[in-house]
């Protein structure tokens, strides 16, 4: 959901949940942190990243948090009955057999 289409409560929930997840992971700068929020009308996750922002001249030390919606797509899943599913199952079975012997 683009921010412009969110009501205030939804936007606050996305921001606060993302902040807590970032803080839990100690605000990693070089990786995206994904957040799924179940009780909003959006089928996907939010990817977030933090960037430190400091201005020593006036003593400001902030973290800028960037949050982007990442919609789920049918092409991203492998379902039983797909050709890809059978191929993946065959490859993993052979790998398991080779590693087990």
């Amino acid at each position: 959901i683009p921010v412009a289409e969110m009501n205030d409560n939804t936007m606050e929930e996305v921001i606060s949940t993302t902040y807590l997840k970032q803080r839990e992971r100690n605000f990693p700068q070089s990786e995206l942190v994904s957040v799924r929020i179940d009780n909003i009308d959006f089928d996907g996750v939010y990817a977030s990243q933090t960037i430190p922002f400091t201005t020593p001249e006036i003593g400001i030390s902030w973290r800028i948090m960037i949050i982007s919606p990442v919609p789920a797509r049918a092409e991203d899943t492998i379902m039983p009955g797909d050709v890809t599913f059978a191929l993946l199952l065959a490859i993993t079975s052979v790998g398991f057999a080779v590693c087990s012997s």
Side-chain angles (χ1 to χ4, degrees):
I1 298 176
V3 172
E5 296 176 14
M6 291 182 179
N7 63 38
D8 290 340
N9 292 335
T10 302
M11 188 167 51
E12 286 178 17
E13 184 171 359
V14 169
I15 292 170
S16 63
T17 303
T18 303
Y19 172 79
L20 292 172
K21 184 88 172 224
Q22 283 280 349
R23 186 177 71 180
E24 176 184 299
R25 300 194 54 193
N26 201 24
F27 301 101
Q29 294 178 42
S30 60
E31 66 181 85
L32 293 175
V33 175
S34 64
V35 176
R36 177 177 293 278
I37 300 174
D38 294 323
N39 59 347
I40 65 172
D41 188 24
F42 175 65
D43 187 23
V45 297
Y46 288 90
S48 65
Q49 185 175 16
T50 56
I51 301 169
F53 175 80
T54 57
T55 306
E57 304 85 43
I58 56 176
I60 292 177
S61 180
W62 291 343
R63 293 188 190 276
I64 298 172
M65 189 166 57
I66 302 164
I67 306 170
S68 301
V70 181
R73 302 188 63 164
E75 298 87 29
D76 293 344
T77 58
I78 299 174
M79 302 295 291
D82 289 345
V83 174
T84 310
F85 181 78
L87 180 64
L88 182 63
L89 189 59
I91 291 171
T92 55
S93 298
V94 169
F96 178 76
V98 169
C99 290
S100 296
S101 57

